[in-house]
Amino acid sequence: MKIKMTINDQSHTLDVHPMMRLLDILRENLTGSKEGCGEGECGACSVFMNGALVNSCLIPVLQCDEAEIFTIEGIKDTAAGKLIAGAFAEAHSAQCGFCTPGMVMAAVNLLRQNPNPSEAEIREGLSGNICRCTGYDMIVDGIQLAARRAKEEAVPW
Amino acid sequence: MVNCLRPKSLDEALAFRAETKALPFAGGTDLMVKHRGYSGTGPRFDRPVLFLDALESLRTISLSNGLIRIGAALPLADILAFSGLPELLRRSLSSIAAPGLRNRASLGGNIANASPAGDSLPPLYVHEALLVLKSLRGERQVPIDKFFTGPGASVLAEDEILSEIQVPLLGQGLVYYRKVGTRKANALSKISAAGYALTQNGKLTDFRFAVGAVAPTVIRLKKAEEMLLAGTAEAALQAAAEYLRPIDDQRSTAAYRTQTALNSLKEFMGMHPQLKSIKMK
């Protein structure tokens, strides 16, 4: 079945089975989004769908017809992407790195709605993302640093 | 893999449902887990799937004449963004899962999934919500406490879909919501409870309390409510205990659930000036 969607601002027409998961379709070419649990618990597969944070492991691709999908690969080269990558590196927000793409998506989702979040708001914003290395404190630090820098450098989320 | 359809018109959806007995699918946050396949192979559904997420008429929310009408396929995040949302629903929906899941999960799905632990259900029982079920045969309204017949089971007919949830507003009373889970995010409830108490001219005139995950369906503690309105708190707690028939499972034990449900009721009574003054053990 033919499915039309935009992935990172490029339009695609994919000939795929409509029940395949968005995550599997993306990962054929874009392997930034990860499969952790496959049950919507860990957030490693987080992407934006029509601007909303979603778990791509739970979405049959038919539901993405006419949708705009934005992944970690799309964020990577934007000013906001570079800023948050730098902040994560400086604050040691990544250890093994498996959760990092999902964490960055959840962080950007939060910062778009709330560019100046409190620590509690950051923890709520990341509540659908699991990290087994850092204990989260360093990820919270990274996001606070990114929020501060974005304000100083007038970088939009 | 199975036959599926994602229609934009309700008539088309109802015809497909009637013809194929397809599984209604809105956000899929429960269904994709329940029917999960091996990584890379797609989910395993044993019957056709009817996607409801492209039906605009199931994605609206409005408030008029004291009634909130919520489209069954509207994601929880969109419901939470509605300024007229009652406090009980706001608290329960914001305690469900995590931001990414609330962007997909629908209120209709939380209901039709018919889990006794569905977190939106105790508030809907307290509000005495009505469910609108549609089929090619027509439309009917079912009060929420008549919808469920057991864990995972409801009166939804094979050709019907849940299209709308109608929530009558409560008066200016005290509300209570408590979810007890292992952690704050992404936890399935050990129990959840919702309450409402209205005092008029110094007298308690309305008291409602509903609990989830302590019986095969969510329950209203009706006898206990009546006894509290009559001013007999001890008897009310005994009456409440008779409703509680929880099970031991991987999330909790029956004993813990019974105690916690009663503690929730006591906690709510303790918040209320009239009820607090009634002596309790």
Side-chain angles (χ1 to χ4, degrees):
Chain A
M1 187 172 166
K2 294 254 194 309
I3 304 217
K4 268 177 73 174
M5 61 175 142
T6 305
I7 302 172
N8 298 331
D9 295 329
Q10 289 186 327
S11 36
H12 296 266
T13 303
L14 307 172
D15 194 3
V16 290
H17 192 285
M19 291 305 292
M20 289 299 287
R21 305 180 306 173
L22 173 62
L23 175 63
D24 295 321
I25 304 295
L26 290 174
R27 281 186 54 83
E28 281 177 20
N29 294 301
L30 303 171
T31 52
S33 308
K34 302 289 188 271
E35 177 163 14
C37 68
E39 299 186 348
E41 298 273 349
C42 79
C45 66
S46 299
V47 301
F48 292 152
M49 179 172 173
N50 297 327
L53 185 74
V54 298
N55 298 84
S56 63
C57 73
L58 298 182
I59 301 183
V61 70
L62 178 57
Q63 292 193 308
C64 302
D65 197 30
E66 309 288 339
E68 285 181 18
I69 306 297
F70 205 65
T71 72
I72 189 71
E73 286 87 354
I75 290 210
K76 189 169 65 115
D77 295 325
T78 64
K82 287 176 184 162
L83 188 146
I84 202 163
F88 266 48
E90 208 172 312
H92 301 276
S93 307
Q95 282 188 31
C96 87
F98 193 86
C99 75
T100 310
M103 285 289 176
V104 169
M105 297 308 287
V108 171
N109 174 62
L110 169 70
L111 292 164
R112 281 182 180 177
Q113 294 164 32
N114 178 359
N116 200 12
S118 66
E119 183 186 334
E121 288 165 339
I122 291 173
R123 290 184 186 274
E124 161 64 21
L126 300 183
S127 61
N129 296 71
I130 291 176
C131 171
R132 297 289 83 159
C133 303
T134 63
Y136 302 99
D137 287 353
M138 291 175 281
I139 298 174
V140 173
D141 291 347
I143 294 171
Q144 283 173 327
L145 182 61
R148 207 161 56 236
R149 292 242 168 97
K151 206 169 161 190
E152 286 164 8
E153 299 168 20
V155 173
W157 292 108
Chain B
M1 273 184 275
V2 297
N3 184 17
C4 56
L5 185 73
R6 184 169 178 255
K8 289 188 173 164
S9 92
L10 186 61
D11 288 344
E12 208 183 333
L14 294 176
F16 187 70
R17 170 84 166 139
E19 186 193 332
T20 67
K21 317 281 182 263
L23 181 67
F25 182 120
T29 53
D30 278 317
L31 293 176
M32 287 294 280
V33 177
K34 201 179 284 178
H35 298 277
R36 185 184 173 191
Y38 290 112
S39 179
T41 64
R44 296 176 172 181
F45 288 93
D46 54 7
R47 56 180 169 138
V49 175
L50 168 60
F51 289 103
L52 304 176
D53 63 307
L55 296 170
E56 284 306 319
S57 63
L58 265 63
R59 296 177 69 97
T60 57
I61 185 164
S62 65
L63 165 61
S64 66
N65 299 325
L67 190 71
I68 300 191
R69 299 156 68 114
I70 304 172
L74 189 67
L76 301 181
D78 295 301
I79 302 174
L80 283 163
F82 183 67
S83 60
L85 195 69
E87 174 70 8
L88 270 183
L89 278 179
R90 196 186 58 71
R91 277 202 232 162
S92 71
L93 301 189
S94 61
S95 78
I96 292 179
L101 289 168
R102 289 195 292 270
N103 281 334
R104 296 297 296 168
S106 66
L107 185 56
N110 200 238
I111 295 168
N113 191 39
S115 163
D119 283 326
S120 72
L121 302 179
L124 292 172
Y125 271 66
V126 166
H127 274 271
E128 299 182 347
L130 288 172
L131 307 180
V132 181
L133 312 183
K134 280 191 176 154
S135 69
L136 289 179
R137 294 175 288 129
E139 170 180 324
R140 61 177 174 143
Q141 289 189 346
V142 179
I144 191 142
D145 64 342
K146 302 279 186 290
F147 181 72
F148 303 102
T149 53
S154 72
V155 302
L156 188 74
E158 280 185 324
D159 62 343
E160 281 179 321
I161 61 167
L162 169 57
S163 68
E164 185 177 272
I165 300 98
Q166 299 186 346
V167 185
L169 294 183
L170 299 171
Q172 297 287 318
L174 188 68
V175 294
Y176 174 84
Y177 182 73
R178 168 72 86 171
K179 168 174 175 167
V180 181
T182 314
R183 59 199 284 270
K184 259 188 166 175
N186 280 354
L188 298 176
S189 292
K190 293 169 190 280
I191 71 140
S192 57
Y196 170 64
L198 180 68
T199 311
Q200 285 169 316
N201 301 322
K203 189 174 163 17
L204 186 68
T205 56
D206 196 353
F207 188 90
R208 307 178 191 185
F209 204 80
V211 195
V214 292
T217 68
V218 170
I219 44 167
R220 272 277 294 273
L221 310 181
K222 290 244 167 115
K223 276 187 199 142
E225 295 173 1
E226 284 164 20
M227 287 175 181
L228 276 172
L229 286 170
T232 51
E234 283 295 340
L237 285 170
Q238 278 170 17
E242 283 169 25
Y243 282 94
L244 307 176
R245 292 178 287 141
I247 55 167
D248 291 325
D249 66 9
Q250 73 276 21
R251 290 202 290 281
S252 189
T253 63
Y256 181 85
R257 286 183 159 121
T258 302
Q259 188 63 57
T260 314
L262 289 173
N263 287 354
S264 300
L265 178 57
K266 282 187 199 169
E267 181 177 52
F268 183 40
M269 288 161 64
M271 288 162 55
H272 193 276
Q274 257 83 36
L275 295 174
K276 201 161 54 179
S277 61
I278 304 174
K279 284 235 157 50
M280 280 183 291
K281 267 178 218 161

